[in-house]
Amino acid sequence: MTDLPVPAGPPVYDTALGASSLHGITLLGHDLAADVMGEVGFGELAYWLATQRRPTPGQTRVFEAVLAALADHGFTPTAMVTRLTYLSAPDSVQGALAAGLLGGGSRFLGVTEDCGQFLHEVLAAVDGPLPGDDAGWDALALRTVRQRREAGLFVPGLGHHVHKEGDPRTPRLMQIAAEEGVFGPHLALFAAIGRVHPQVLGKTLPLNGAGVCGAALADLGLPLELLRGFALLARTAGLIGQLAEELRHPVARDIHLAVDLNNRPVPPDPYLPPLFPTTHEEG
């Protein structure tokens, strides 16, 4: 039996993120107290932590516009479950926040990740150079929407249950990205989808804010696998706001009682698995 080498000392775990010593803390190669605190905004720092490259002012502006766009949308399920969890466990602020964040999925917040990854997959599959003008982007978008339609799939980021005539966040974020010189291929393809999809679907749907945020984040070069994480980062601020308002103007108890005091007993509705016989047949 071959003897395994014996480590000369304790194991070492490399990190470029936070590290502490007796007299200081470093973060991303900088002194936290002297170089970061009071010098770097939180949005800039979040981008920097995720990429380990410091963003330009233009990239920071677009990134923070995304965070603002996704922070709070009123009494969404994520907001209500945060308020209700706090009603049930006021001793657990972290539980209330976590409950709201866990609701970030395919219908709320997850579209940011879905759209960014979808656009990236389309771009990665292009054989040759990417389009250089609107006509080229429109042709690519038209093929893409037709393929999704033929496959019976939705186009992520297309449509909104409230902003049926246009999501105000979408043109604004595209404008900011263009102003800062970071309007890249993901946003270009997304904009083209907005122009051409009526030719395939026979109706006009808005490009929603969650989708345009995913396109913008992808153009910023952020990790595609973490796009939902940035949506959750934004929503954390919104949920803290929901809790702060709940403390001063509570509605969670009313929501709870509206359901609890208005329930109506009904006969059981047994679940039957697919193809399960509904009657007993004697042999």
Side-chain angles (χ1 to χ4, degrees):
M1 178 180 295
T2 303
D3 293 334
L4 296 176
V6 178
V12 175
Y13 302 96
D14 295 333
T15 178
L17 302 178
S20 300
S21 64
L22 179 61
H23 299 293
I25 304 172
T26 59
L27 181 64
L28 295 163
H30 292 264
D31 184 285
L32 175 65
D35 302 330
V36 180
M37 295 172 61
E39 304 296 330
V40 179
F42 182 71
E44 179 183 359
L45 182 61
Y47 183 112
W48 198 355
L49 287 168
T51 64
Q52 297 194 14
R53 65 176 189 272
R54 190 166 186 173
T56 66
Q59 290 171 330
T60 299
R61 183 182 179 216
V62 172
F63 182 66
E64 291 185 345
V66 168
L67 297 182
L70 297 174
D72 185 78
H73 301 156
F75 287 118
T76 60
T78 59
M80 287 191 290
V81 74
T82 289
R83 289 185 182 237
L84 288 168
T85 302
Y86 185 76
L87 173 67
S88 179
D91 53 313
S92 179
V93 171
Q94 71 272 23
L97 289 173
L101 294 176
L102 289 172
S106 59
R107 293 184 178 176
F108 290 87
L109 299 178
V111 176
T112 296
E113 178 182 87
D114 297 341
C115 187
Q117 291 191 342
F118 160 70
L119 295 170
H120 189 78
E121 290 169 1
V122 173
L123 295 171
V126 172
D127 186 14
L130 295 176
D133 55 25
D134 283 352
W137 285 113
D138 287 355
L140 175 59
L142 196 58
R143 292 197 302 271
T144 300
V145 177
R146 281 175 175 161
Q147 290 170 357
R148 298 288 290 189
R149 180 67 178 270
E150 291 168 0
L153 300 173
F154 293 110
V155 176
L158 190 58
H160 196 282
H161 67 290
V162 174
H163 305 298
K164 298 183 182 300
E165 296 182 359
D167 190 320
R169 297 169 295 176
T170 299
R172 178 57 176 155
L173 188 54
M174 288 186 175
Q175 176 191 357
I176 295 171
E179 290 172 354
E180 299 300 338
V182 291
F183 191 104
H186 298 85
L187 282 169
L189 176 57
F190 195 54
I193 288 173
R195 292 192 296 267
V196 307
H197 74 270
Q199 300 178 44
V200 180
L201 304 184
K203 58 183 176 180
T204 300
L205 298 173
L207 297 174
N208 64 53
V212 76
C213 286
L217 292 174
D219 275 345
L220 288 175
L222 292 160
L224 297 175
E225 300 85 354
L226 298 181
L227 295 190
R228 188 175 302 187
F230 298 115
L232 294 173
L233 173 65
R235 187 52 57 90
T236 299
L239 294 179
I240 291 173
Q242 291 284 336
L243 286 176
E245 186 174 79
E246 181 68 20
L247 289 173
R248 294 177 289 114
H249 304 288
V251 299
R253 185 174 299 278
D254 291 340
I255 294 172
H256 161 61
L257 292 177
V259 177
D260 187 50
L261 299 180
N262 291 284
N263 68 80
R264 176 170 60 91
V266 297
D269 181 17
Y271 166 76
L272 295 176
L275 306 181
F276 196 85
T278 57
T279 61
H280 177 69
E281 297 181 1
E282 295 184 357

